[in-house]
């Protein structure tokens, strides 16, 4: 149970970092930041591997890169949907 909470916290931090890097994190909300962090972590480790420092079973550098890609993609899709 504690590991799940830790994973959610780390996912939120990764999503917040990705949102700050892309300047789209404030408009997403904290739940979307958690989802972007978790999906980005999975995607980043799938594509880039599990190198660098690990926290809660997530490699930080590939996770942040994956989350940045997820945030950019989601914000692009949402801007296209608004048109």
């Amino acid at each position: 149970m504690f590991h799940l909470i830790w994973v959610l916290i780390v996912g939120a931090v990764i999503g917040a970092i990705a949102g700050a890097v892309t300047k789209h994190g404030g408009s997403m909300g904290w739940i979307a930041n958690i989802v972007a962090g978790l999906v980005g972590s999975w995607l980043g480790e799938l594509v880039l591997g599990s190198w660098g420092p690990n926290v809660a079973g997530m490699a930080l550098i590939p996770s942040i890169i994956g989350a940045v890609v997820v945030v950019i993609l989601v914000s692009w899709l949402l801007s296209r949907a608004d048109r």
Side-chain angles (χ1 to χ4, degrees), residues 28 35-37 39-41 43 65-76:
M28 288 179 50
V35 171
V39 171
S41 176
L43 180 67
I65 293 170
V68 166
V69 170
V70 167
V71 168
I72 289 171
L73 182 64
V74 168
S75 63
W76 179 75

Side-chain angles (χ1 to χ4, degrees), residues 13-57:
V13 170
I14 289 171
I17 291 170
V21 168
T22 61
K23 309 284 192 262
H24 295 288
S27 62
M28 288 179 50
W30 62 275
I31 293 176
N33 278 341
I34 291 173
V35 171
L38 294 174
V39 171
S41 176
W42 173 77
L43 180 67
E45 289 186 27
L46 182 69
V47 173
L48 300 173
S50 182
W51 52 273
N54 288 326
V55 176

